[in-house]
Amino acid sequence: MKHIHIIGIGGTFMGGLAAIAREAGFRVTGCDAKMYPPMSTQLETLGIDVYEGFDAGQLAQFPADVYVIGNVAKRGMEVVEAVMNRGLPYVSGPQWLAENVLQGRWVLGVAGTHGKTTTASMLAWVLEYAGLAPGFLIGGVPQNFSVSARLPQTPRQDAHSQSPFFVIEADEYDTAFFDKRSKFVHYRPRTAILNNLEFDHADIFADLAAIQTQFHHLVRTVPSDGLIVANGTEAALADTLAKGCWTPVETFGSEARWQVGGVDHDGSFDVLLDGETVGRIAWDLTGAHNRLNALAVIAAARHAGVAVQTACEALGAFKNVKRRMEIKGCVRNITVYDDFAHHPTAIAATLGGLRQKIGSARILAVFEPRSNTMKLGAVKAALPDSLRAADLVFCYSGGVDWDTAAALAPLGEKTCTDRDFDAFTARIAAAAQPGDHILIMSNGGFNGIHDKLLAALERT
């Protein structure tokens, strides 16, 4: 049994990789500075030993055959320097995955600035519903599966084989400190979804053009008998494909090959292909962004052999992902949600979907500028417009150096910012009224605000 030790095991990607490696028969251990659900829960359930910290002492405790280094690891970190100075074998997570899991499989990659986790979860579920038993690695926990990653399973139609399909969330973030290419260039998908393309990850990309270059590197890896499913409403994607494309492309969105037909008040809608109705989806998800996600999934699944009607039925039974509009509790008729939105476009889409669902009821938007792009203030000018659908806006400013109050000033008196977390939570609880919907948005643990706020609401 080979032993891999994962440096930075607590991230969604590396935690999923750990689960897959364990399932494949490797002995798996890892380290990280701080762990929080859902990854901490998943690793604990799998019985994977996690060392807290990045010091070199762990190398004696976990003498591995190879050290898989996540992009959280930097030069100067004690364990990294020790691995390099001792000449120990090391590799990036994406490269390890490509060489040990993805090679020879039909990879379906889901790329884009927003919606990767939800769309990849939808796609994995559609293939599962159709009996194709795919493997997957997703940056979240799809509730239809309750794990973030697994190896391909046995297809319903062939009990003596393993499914060739593997769905992966194809992230544009850099691979490792020694490989500055985007993670997704390692995956070589046969089917690629390009959901959208905006400026993000300001800590590693200078501008949108730099991200487009990486997306074009991905396009170059899709074979000519594969398929690219691209958002036809995104000019940045059209420009990227115009740099050179050797693969058939199917577009989705308005005036594209795949379109959303009539949308009913309950959220159900028709699916159109070349102007003809080919299916209908009835589900609980909200927002135009999720309808576009569904179109992309149906097109990609069809490329893998799933009939459109089967895909529509599967999406009707889709349960979404943890931390995507997940209801954390309801106190005094005040509903508290948890969502992963951390970019202005995603914030606006999430708020818009909730507004469509609840009508005129009050929304209290609570968010933490935690991503590197947010911390740098690179997209702060877009925040006011992204939050306009909320009735009250609460911004926790404890982790940023820029003036959050000034950035949100266009929203007027409905905003509140605070660097004191306890005071911040108390102000939200004091402002909440029966019938309100409190939408908490962060890509981190947010100091456990969900449970603390629910407890404060109980006391109020």
Side-chain angles (χ1 to χ4, degrees), residues 323-338:
R323 303 208 64 199
R324 270 66 179 179
M325 289 304 295
E326 181 181 359
I327 295 177
K328 301 298 290 185
C330 187
V331 176
R332 297 177 19 241
N333 196 30
I334 300 169
T335 307
V336 176
Y337 303 83
D338 181 22

Side-chain angles (χ1 to χ4, degrees), residues 102 104-108 132-135 152-153 155 161-166:
L102 302 184
R105 301 194 190 279
W106 182 321
V107 177
L108 300 96
L132 300 182
Q153 308 293 300
S161 69
Q162 188 181 66
S163 174
F165 299 108
F166 196 98

Side-chain angles (χ1 to χ4, degrees), residues 381-426:
L383 279 173
D385 279 344
S386 74
L387 291 158
R388 289 195 186 279
D391 296 278
L392 295 175
V393 174
F394 296 85
C395 173
Y396 176 59
S397 55
V400 298
D401 294 328
W402 45 275
D403 190 339
T404 55
L408 296 172
L411 293 173
E413 296 181 356
K414 71 177 183 178
T415 63
C416 166
T417 66
D418 206 318
R419 302 182 70 86
D420 182 319
F421 181 78
D422 291 336
F424 178 74
T425 305

Side-chain angles (χ1 to χ4, degrees), residues 4-5 14 44 53 79 137 195 220 235 237 259 268 272 296 302 317 328 337 350 357 365 376 419 421 424 442 451:
I4 68 171
H5 185 71
M14 298 300 269
E44 183 178 352
V79 67
L137 199 166
N195 242 357
R220 287 175 175 272
L237 284 177
Q259 297 179 20
S268 62
L272 276 58
R302 192 177 74 142
K328 301 298 290 185
Y337 303 83
T350 301
K357 180 179 180 180
L376 291 168
R419 302 182 70 86
F421 181 78
F424 178 74
S442 171
D451 291 339

